Amino acid sequence: MAPISPRLCVYLSKVHNLQELRRSASLATKVFIQRDYSDGTICQFQTKFPPELDSRIERQLFEETVKTLNGFYAEAEKIGGSSYLEGCLACATAYFIFLCMETHYEKVLKKISRYIQEQNEKIFAPRGLLLTDPVERGMRVVSFWAVLCEGTGLPTSRDPGEAARKQGLHSRFSREPPHSNGP
Amino acid sequence: MPGGSRREGSLERGLRPQTPPKPPARFRGPGPGGPDLHRGAHWPAGPQRCPWLTRAVSPAVPVYNGVIFLFVLANFSMATFMDPGVFPRADEDEDKEDDFRAPLYKNVDVRGIQVRMKWCATCHFYRPPRCSHCSVCDNCVEDFDHHCPWVNNCIGRRNYRYFFLFLLSLSAHMVGVVAFGLVYVLNHAEGLGAAHTAITMAVMCVAGLFFIPVIGLTGFHVVLVTRGRTTNEQVTGKFRGGVNPFTRGCCGNVEHVLCSPLAPRYVVEPPRLPLASKGSLDRPDEKPLDLGPPLPPEIEAGTFSSGLQTSRPGSAESALSVQRTSPPTPAMYKFRPAFPTGPKAPFCGPGEQVPGPDSLTLGDDSIRSLDFVSEPSLDLPDYGPGGLHSTYPPSPPLSASDAFSGALRSLSLKASSRRGGDHVALQPLRSEGGPPTPHRSIFAPHALPNRNGSLSYDSLLNPGSPSGHACPAHPTVGVAAYHSPYLHPGATGDPPRPLPRSFSPVLGPRPREPSPVRYDNLSRTIMASIQERKDREERERLLRSQADSLFGDSGVYDAPSSYSLQQASVLSEGPRGPVLRYGSRDDLVAGPGFGGARNPALQTSLSSLSSSVSRAPRTSSSSLQADQASSNAPGPRPSSGSHRSPARQGLPSPPGTPHSPSYAGPKAVAFIHTDLPEPPPSLAMQRAHPQLKTPPSKLNGQSPGLARLGPATGPPGPSASPTRHTLVKKVSGVGGTTYEISV
């Protein structure tokens, strides 16, 4: 496990909001976990352990996280009774139901983002990592940000000002929407 | 006659014009008797038929028609206004890991079948399987089916079902209209000259006219759905004779299309600025500002620095907003290439335009104030009072420019194909007041080739007709206000305000000026070397023009760097044989002379070129070094001069600059030659794109042209097979990915 700098510890103790952590993180390496297309276009991420995280997180923990995410997405995309009903209801109401109702997928996405936030708070932030919500990137990748304080000397992004400009990489589904759905 | 009339009796009476049909006994409702019938007889076709049909056939007739019509309308609206599944642009940090050796293609194994993922130069990621880049919308769309000009939207994962249901319901509706009209006419056959009968017949004719193409299209999609293919895959022949790895069996495919949950949106639209939206509606002439060729840098400077709210037309905002993929990350505001990339680039222009942290903070605040929460799939919520779409509440307020330009495009397509003049007449309406910018020519009738339609069903239904149209203005079209998607308007220090959501995700950005280069995220040194290569290409061009080359057009090398690179952004297809391009912008530029078969080849070549070029900086460094290590060829080479000559030429150029761009050219040439089935001998070009004329052959000629430093050595013969001078070395990367490195 990489040593967590004292600054980070202090910072973590002060930061309750993970977004603030992201925003304030000066430098970060990012590890991207790509989609696993072996079963078609269903949303699945590769459970192959990236070597960059070798020193930061246990393999099993990583796999468990990714598998949980995969499970969530499988649940979201499941064609079953609820999706039938949703489709029929939408059809019957000329799709006006979408104004009032959240789709099944969106519900699961909210669940996922809560899960990710929870994981970040409990597991990854203490290890100096941040897990991003794949929906922000079109569900193409899951990324782990290795959040570091300045001066650690670890490889960072090309742009030294990037960390300073890191802004709200927050999950869409993790906050109360300022605007309610609907007109 | 009084009641007690049987149903047959009423029908019989209906056949006698002088006796209005009595309603059958069981249908005697609130409106019995003659007066009502007479009143009804004076109504226009539908309403006047309906009472008769209600009485003569069944009261369920108007109910059925009403329901069907509502269904058609709802599905049409969903297909039109729904985000098809646009992928947001990848942040720069994501492709940082793809260094210079990253290949153009990546293979993935899908159920045991190798599927190739292509690098999208516009969106900066490897396109997932079944994803394709729509050049009209300038977005990568998940499960891309096609870009439908009838609804002026891409059909992708999220809205394919609605499109399919729209087709089914429209077919049913048309069948109903024709059938009921027939019943009416047959029952009023004696009075065919009567107004209502004549109108009914006219309606039937119109419906019958559209019947064949709609039914044909519906049947086509039924086949596609059962086979589990997208239109894109079907037309490009991806699984011709092969196995479709994405199929789930017939029932599974149908179930997947009709019953799968609605996928979420990836691109979140910031709230629309009411003024901008209104402005876009009321001031269509502003659009050309954004869409004109010289615009992008100005747009970037001007729009972001001031008065964005008012002056930014839909395209600018739309460009911005559509490019706003996720909440702004630092990567969004990263360095931009030094020289103007043009509005097409997803990233901003020159680096100096990157806002400072404070402005970013502002921007971020405003963004954070935006609603990034999940939205109903109707993409409705945060849209401001888009007056244009107030009639349909769920619809996002498309900017007038987007809506109208798209509508105009589709309308012009229709006009060009065979639609009525009413569509053409619409154009002056929309474009009134608009200066004749290049992009406006898009809206001129026939200006837009049915390349757009080649993806649309116009071409599918009329294979011969569409490809003839050229869009002269296309290359310059619509780049317009395409500033960086990641440049937040607040970035320039403006007070945080919601971004105008004049851009609709479903419609895509306005047509834009083709970006000369798409090296958005490359370092300054690479940019400099690219610039140097462009200078060199300019020199070559001048030399060639002096030499009076075989190909005549001296602008040959202009395009490859500019147009072909634009191709990279717009092309979605890999090299294929005769493929129908789906509304790709390059098709539009291709000109009237391009046949369907040529265009694919052209597109293929150009895409390969551009793709090669755009990825060249990534791939060329190692090969470049290898190349430089080998001995220099002395002087200019003949036509079979290899790809290396440019590199050789590059050497005397300013030292210290990486020659990757220069190397990219010949390598691109090599790619072109491998990919092209056969270079079209001559391709009529339109407007100022002579470089497109014979790109393959010009690429052929470019090798000698590149080799020429001095006077031209004469007509460059087509290089025999300049192709695989580039050796490709396969290297296994992490995770089993195979990288092809040009040696």
Side-chain angles (χ1 to χ4, degrees):
Chain A
M1 193 72 64
I4 301 174
S5 76
R7 281 173 65 189
L8 183 59
C9 282
V10 168
Y11 193 87
L12 283 173
S13 66
K14 288 181 183 171
V15 171
H16 301 288
N17 192 345
L18 279 175
Q19 281 77 33
E20 291 178 28
L21 175 63
R22 283 171 168 165
R23 213 180 318 126
S24 314
S26 54
L27 301 166
T29 55
K30 293 178 189 172
V31 180
F32 294 99
I33 291 109
Q34 302 289 332
R35 281 268 294 268
D36 175 17
Y37 294 108
S38 58
D39 276 336
T41 50
I42 61 171
C43 187
Q44 260 184 338
F45 292 96
Q46 293 177 353
T47 51
K48 188 182 63 66
F49 187 71
E52 296 89 345
L53 292 178
D54 206 7
S55 59
R56 296 190 150 264
I57 195 175
E58 298 91 3
R59 191 176 289 257
Q60 193 174 354
L61 186 61
F62 167 84
E63 279 179 14
E64 185 195 315
T65 305
V66 176
K67 281 189 178 136
T68 312
L69 283 179
N70 288 343
F72 276 126
Y73 285 118
E75 181 199 334
E77 295 183 348
K78 192 166 76 81
I79 300 177
S82 67
S83 62
Y84 287 137
L85 283 176
E86 192 178 273
C88 289
L89 189 63
C91 226
T93 61
Y95 309 114
F96 282 98
I97 196 73
F98 289 134
L99 296 174
C100 323
M101 192 184 79
E102 220 175 34
T103 66
H104 170 67
Y105 211 119
E106 284 170 346
K107 288 186 191 134
V108 177
L109 283 178
K110 282 205 167 130
K111 218 166 35 162
I112 289 171
S113 89
R114 274 197 301 270
Y115 168 78
I116 287 177
Q117 197 165 17
E118 202 180 279
Q119 291 287 100
N120 275 333
E121 282 167 3
K122 290 188 195 157
I123 297 175
F124 293 118
R127 291 169 167 80
L129 290 175
L130 277 175
L131 182 64
T132 63
D133 197 335
V135 76
E136 293 163 1
R137 291 173 188 263
M139 312 252 266
R140 291 179 297 104
V141 289
V142 176
S143 63
F144 279 92
W145 287 23
V147 181
L148 306 160
C149 292
E150 276 186 282
T152 55
L154 288 181
T156 63
S157 54
R158 252 189 274 165
D159 187 351
E162 171 183 331
R165 291 195 295 270
K166 279 195 180 123
Q167 301 290 352
L169 190 70
H170 55 274
S171 165
R172 273 198 298 168
F173 301 95
S174 60
R175 302 188 311 163
E176 278 303 293
H179 311 275
S180 60
N181 289 344
Chain B
M1 278 182 335
S5 53
R6 304 291 180 265
R7 190 168 174 165
E8 309 83 47
S10 68
L11 279 172
E12 285 168 3
R13 280 191 290 280
L15 289 172
R16 287 180 297 230
Q18 61 274 20
T19 314
K22 287 281 176 144
R26 60 190 172 103
F27 295 132
R28 230 180 253 155
D36 285 338
L37 290 172
H38 284 295
R39 231 176 282 131
H42 294 288
W43 291 356
Q48 76 198 18
R49 280 186 301 143
C50 268
W52 181 85
L53 284 167
T54 306
R55 282 173 279 275
V57 179
S58 163
V61 167
V63 174
Y64 166 79
N65 278 320
V67 166
I68 283 277
F69 177 72
L70 192 64
F71 201 60
V72 169
L73 200 62
N75 283 303
F76 174 76
S77 304
M78 292 292 273
T80 304
F81 301 122
M82 175 170 279
D83 182 338
V86 169
F87 280 116
R89 301 287 200 264
D91 296 336
E92 288 183 354
D93 52 4
E94 194 179 326
D95 59 1
K96 243 180 272 171
E97 58 182 19
D98 293 319
D99 58 8
F100 291 101
R101 284 175 295 280
L104 185 59
Y105 292 100
K106 250 191 205 176
N107 285 323
V108 285
D109 186 55
V110 179
R111 294 181 186 159
I113 294 163
Q114 288 285 313
V115 172
R116 202 170 60 168
M117 300 202 305
K118 188 176 178 183
W119 171 262
C120 182
T122 313
C123 305
H124 298 266
F125 52 77
Y126 285 97
R127 295 183 194 136
R130 304 196 113 177
C131 163
S132 200
H133 190 96
C134 174
S135 56
V136 178
C137 307
D138 198 37
N139 286 309
C140 271
V141 174
E142 190 173 10
D143 287 1
F144 179 78
D145 193 80
H146 67 283
H147 182 95
C148 184
W150 297 36
V151 302
N152 194 35
N153 191 17
C154 273
I155 307 298
R157 176 183 176 188
R158 295 183 79 234
N159 62 354
Y160 183 76
R161 179 189 331 165
Y162 307 113
F163 177 76
F164 183 63
L165 290 176
F166 163 65
L167 287 180
L168 287 179
S169 55
L170 184 64
S171 305
H173 187 46
M174 291 172 88
V175 167
V177 164
V178 171
F180 289 125
L182 199 63
V183 166
Y184 183 87
V185 166
L186 287 178
N187 282 295
H188 292 78
E190 301 78 11
L192 282 179
H196 42 274
T197 314
I199 292 171
T200 305
M201 281 171 54
V203 168
M204 279 173 60
C205 284
V206 171
L209 189 69
F210 287 93
F211 191 78
I212 305 290
V214 170
I215 294 288
L217 192 61
T218 307
F220 176 70
H221 275 276
V222 166
V223 169
L224 286 185
V225 165
T226 53
R227 282 178 159 186
R229 295 183 185 182
T230 63
T231 307
N232 195 14
E233 291 164 350
Q234 174 71 28
V235 173
T236 57
K238 277 195 180 133
F239 307 126
R240 198 186 299 150
V243 182
N244 180 0
F246 306 106
T247 185
R248 299 169 174 81
C250 179
C251 293
N253 292 332
V254 174
E255 191 186 46
H256 174 72
V257 166
L258 295 180
C259 308
S260 60
L262 180 61
R265 290 185 61 204
Y266 302 137
V267 177
V268 182
E269 290 305 297
R272 182 186 176 142
L273 198 65
L275 183 57
S277 66
K278 284 204 186 70
S280 61
L281 282 176
D282 303 334
R283 291 173 289 176
D285 50 313
E286 284 197 342
K287 298 303 166 286
L289 287 180
D290 298 329
L291 303 178
L295 217 38
E298 302 164 3
I299 285 291
E300 286 166 348
T303 52
F304 288 117
S305 57
S306 63
L308 273 185
Q309 297 90 334
T310 57
S311 64
R312 193 191 332 185
S315 57
E317 297 146 350
S318 61
L320 185 71
S321 55
V322 75
Q323 296 304 331
R324 171 170 315 288
T325 69
S326 51
T329 61
M332 289 182 174
Y333 304 96
K334 276 189 68 71
F335 160 78
R336 306 291 176 235
F339 66 90
T341 58
K344 193 144 187 216
F347 295 87
C348 179
E352 52 270 16
Q353 296 199 4
V354 175
D358 52 347
S359 54
L360 283 176
T361 309
L362 285 177
D364 178 58
D365 287 342
S366 65
I367 285 183
R368 285 160 70 81
S369 69
L370 302 177
D371 180 20
F372 284 101
V373 80
S374 85
E375 302 167 358
S377 46
L378 282 176
D379 311 344
L380 155 64
D382 295 308
Y383 288 98
L388 177 61
H389 302 283
S390 55
T391 54
Y392 185 83
S395 72
L398 304 161
S399 73
S401 60
D402 291 333
F404 290 155
S405 63
L408 277 172
R409 264 202 303 267
S410 54
L411 288 175
S412 65
L413 275 176
K414 292 183 190 174
S416 61
S417 60
R418 61 176 181 279
R419 302 298 177 240
D422 55 338
H423 297 293
V424 182
L426 258 182
Q427 292 179 3
L429 258 183
R430 297 296 177 229
S431 50
E432 60 191 349
T437 58
H439 108 81
R440 283 293 177 208
S441 63
I442 264 193
F443 307 134
H446 309 276
L448 207 63
N450 247 345
R451 299 311 310 181
N452 220 355
S454 65
L455 186 62
S456 79
Y457 288 95
D458 287 342
S459 69
L460 287 174
L461 298 168
N462 304 298
S465 56
S467 39
H469 301 280
C471 178
H474 183 65
T476 60
V477 156
V479 159
Y482 217 88
H483 5 263
S484 157
Y486 301 118
L487 252 196
H488 193 267
T492 55
D494 284 347
R497 49 175 185 78
L499 282 178
R501 199 171 14 191
S502 50
F503 172 78
S504 162
V506 298
L507 280 192
R510 302 296 309 282
R512 307 168 306 170
E513 186 69 33
S515 151
V517 180
R518 193 172 296 276
Y519 301 122
D520 305 303
N521 53 353
L522 302 176
S523 68
R524 287 181 193 268
T525 50
I526 294 173
M527 290 293 107
S529 57
I530 291 166
Q531 185 63 42
E532 171 253 324
R533 181 173 81 92
K534 285 171 67 70
D535 296 341
R536 195 169 34 78
E537 290 163 4
E538 279 289 329
R539 289 198 302 274
E540 300 297 340
R541 191 164 44 86
L542 290 171
L543 289 171
R544 193 193 320 280
S545 63
Q546 295 168 8
D548 185 23
S549 77
L550 173 70
F551 300 101
D553 281 319
S554 55
V556 52
Y557 228 177
D558 255 353
S561 51
S562 59
Y563 183 79
S564 57
L565 288 169
Q566 176 218 353
Q567 299 301 312
S569 64
V570 304
L571 281 176
S572 59
E573 304 306 329
R576 294 274 172 231
V579 300
L580 288 180
R581 306 305 308 186
Y582 286 154
S584 30
R585 200 171 285 117
D586 41 63
D587 296 335
L588 296 173
V589 195
F594 282 6
R598 281 173 177 171
N599 262 327
L602 172 59
Q603 310 318 325
T604 301
S605 64
L606 289 172
S607 70
S608 306
L609 169 62
S610 51
S611 306
S612 316
V613 174
S614 57
R615 294 289 283 176
R618 301 168 182 274
T619 58
S620 59
S621 60
S622 62
S623 46
L624 181 64
Q625 282 142 22
D627 195 37
Q628 288 177 350
S630 53
S631 59
N632 277 341
R637 297 189 178 195
S639 63
S640 62
S642 70
H643 57 293
R644 294 169 186 251
S645 46
R648 304 285 179 263
Q649 280 191 358
L651 290 174
S653 59
T657 59
H659 295 298
S660 46
S662 56
Y663 194 77
K667 190 151 59 65
V669 176
F671 271 98
I672 295 300
H673 287 290
T674 40
D675 290 338
L676 263 191
E678 185 240 334
S682 70
L683 301 170
M685 265 315 298
Q686 278 215 357
R687 258 203 51 173
H689 294 272
Q691 58 272 15
L692 266 194
K693 202 186 244 187
T694 55
S697 41
K698 284 204 184 297
L699 289 168
N700 267 332
Q702 280 165 7
S703 291
L706 284 174
R708 276 198 312 254
L709 278 177
T713 54
S719 19
S721 56
T723 61
R724 284 304 187 189
H725 294 287
T726 314
L727 297 177
V728 173
K729 187 172 68 174
K730 295 207 174 182
V731 171
S732 291
V734 173
T737 307
T738 304
Y739 295 90
E740 295 176 355
I741 301 173
S742 302
V743 177

